[in-house]
Amino acid sequence: MTRRDEPSPSVMEQASAWAVRLAGDEATEADFLALEAWLAVSPDHAEAYTRAEGLLAALDDDRAALDAALTRAAAAAATPETASARRVASRKPAQGARPWRWVGGGISIAAAVAVAVLLAPSLGSHTDVYVTAPGEQRTLTLADGSTIFMNGGSRLSVRLDRRERRVEMASAEAAFDVAHDPRRPFRVTVGESRVEVLGTAFDIRQGQDETRVAVTRGVVRVSDLANPAHNVRLTRGQTVERGDDDGVLQVETVAPETAGWRTGRLVYDNRPLSEVVADLNRAWPMPIRAVGTAADLRFTGVLALDGQAPEGQAATIRRLEAFLPVTAVQRDGTIELRPR
């Protein structure tokens, strides 16, 4: 790469071929897994593929932009290396889309896309911000057909454009059901992690010191923002937890199920009370706080959330008092869980 944001022509050709291959309706899960293997070879591949699929999505929506980009690509690619390569390639349109044909004019389809990626102008988009109060749950239906289920006390932003679909989470918990669209990757930025999706359902929880991703359907990749090569791929029934301090990605296999907070029950296996309290604070407006050594107590069990009324919160607190050596004291509008 001559610069970090400029993939080499050969890598761009490969990335463009992948983008065209996976853009059609005939793409299979095996194709996506093969793409994952290619992307894992080098961070350059991921950068190149992002550019290629973004351009394809943009040009598929705008025939005029396609013609202009191809004209610029042909002019830019008129070199001794590409003059001998005369190819004609076609792309099968998605259902309902306008068909179009690539004519190389001295360049291959991959070269055309590669050069056009570097020359195509940026396309504008709009960012929407969504916030839920403690105790409030909200369902978002996005324009692409994806659905986001927000838990209480959460904030996230959504940006949909022709190149990608991007969500940024800030101190949030949400479950996602992502519509399949290989031309527009779905990416979630949460803390110091990035989640990349290929049509799937999953849950993300951002805690004070860690991020947890659980997959109920499909395939996702979770990686470091600063080091994309440090990543894991998750399939149905797998979870990963990443600590903010050490960046370690801990993968576990569990029974795939709907996020517990959506069904009114929270399930824990040897988790600190501080984490339990953080989850409960998304369920009710009155804050709960673990005081002193109570925060480090470990809890295993199922907590039923008995509705959003104060009586439901009181019932859940009583269960914690029965399970753990803590006493609940209400003080200045806060419920304090103190060691007994």
Side-chain angles (χ1 to χ4, degrees):
M1 294 174 65
T2 56
R3 289 203 311 264
R4 183 176 180 81
D5 61 344
E6 292 185 1
S8 68
S10 62
V11 170
M12 277 306 312
E13 282 216 41
Q14 297 174 51
S16 301
W18 274 112
V20 172
R21 174 181 173 183
L22 298 180
D25 293 336
E26 70 280 1
T28 66
E29 184 169 345
D31 292 327
F32 287 114
L33 294 177
L35 170 64
E36 288 289 325
W38 182 80
L39 293 174
V41 172
S42 167
D44 298 357
H45 290 189
E47 172 66 21
Y49 183 72
T50 297
R51 288 169 174 246
E53 64 182 357
L55 178 75
L56 280 179
L59 298 186
D60 201 27
D61 289 340
D62 190 339
R63 178 58 185 265
L66 166 64
D67 294 338
L70 281 177
T71 299
R72 294 195 300 270
T79 65
E81 289 77 11
T82 60
S84 61
R86 300 185 177 276
R87 305 175 188 175
V88 176
S90 64
R91 172 177 173 267
K92 179 181 177 181
Q95 185 175 1
R98 182 177 181 181
W100 47 264
R101 179 173 296 274
W102 295 78
V103 180
I107 57 175
S108 69
I109 176 176
V113 175
V115 177
V117 164
L118 301 177
L119 296 176
S122 299
L123 299 172
S125 60
H126 178 69
T127 299
D128 294 305
V129 178
Y130 302 93
V131 179
T132 55
E136 175 190 8
Q137 294 183 2
R138 183 174 182 182
T139 299
L140 309 176
T141 301
L142 306 185
D144 68 333
S146 299
T147 304
I148 303 177
F149 307 92
M150 295 179 64
N151 199 1
S154 298
R155 176 187 177 90
L156 56 80
S157 62
V158 179
R159 182 184 182 93
L160 303 180
D161 60 33
R162 295 182 177 124
R163 296 172 184 243
E164 67 175 351
R165 299 166 290 173
R166 180 182 296 275
V167 175
E168 295 189 6
M169 298 177 61
S171 184
E173 181 168 21
F176 297 77
D177 195 336
V178 178
H180 181 69
D181 187 350
R183 296 171 300 166
R184 289 197 297 171
F186 194 104
R187 299 185 173 101
V188 182
T189 300
V190 50
E192 297 301 317
S193 302
R194 170 172 289 172
V195 181
E196 300 190 50
V197 183
L198 292 172
T200 188
F202 59 99
D203 180 79
I204 298 179
R205 176 191 182 277
Q206 183 182 12
Q208 293 182 339
D209 303 312
E210 80 291 321
T211 296
R212 183 177 182 273
V213 180
V215 178
T216 54
R217 187 185 73 246
V219 180
V220 306
R221 182 174 63 242
V222 180
S223 61
D224 278 351
L225 283 177
N227 181 19
H230 179 48
N231 65 76
V232 295
R233 191 180 72 225
L234 304 178
T235 57
R236 182 176 183 268
Q238 288 187 310
T239 67
V240 64
E241 185 171 297
R242 180 195 183 279
D244 292 341
D245 293 336
D246 54 21
V248 174
L249 297 168
Q250 284 189 303
V251 178
E252 296 181 356
T253 300
V254 298
E257 61 179 21
T258 301
W261 55 267
R262 291 178 57 195
T263 60
R265 62 189 186 93
L266 302 176
V267 183
Y268 299 96
D269 182 9
N270 194 34
R271 305 305 299 174
L273 183 58
S274 58
E275 179 179 317
V276 177
V277 166
D279 289 341
L280 295 179
N281 279 332
R282 298 190 189 280
W284 294 290
M286 181 177 290
I288 307 170
R289 187 165 68 94
V291 179
T293 57
D296 299 324
L297 293 174
R298 314 296 289 191
F299 176 71
T300 297
V302 179
L303 286 178
L305 304 179
D306 298 328
Q308 298 178 359
E311 294 78 9
Q313 184 179 35
T316 301
I317 294 299
R318 285 195 297 271
R319 293 189 185 100
L320 281 177
E321 289 180 301
F323 287 136
L324 296 173
V326 296
T327 300
V329 177
Q330 187 168 333
R331 178 182 178 185
D332 298 331
T334 300
I335 298 176
E336 295 184 348
L337 298 179
R338 300 175 180 176
R340 225 175 18 229

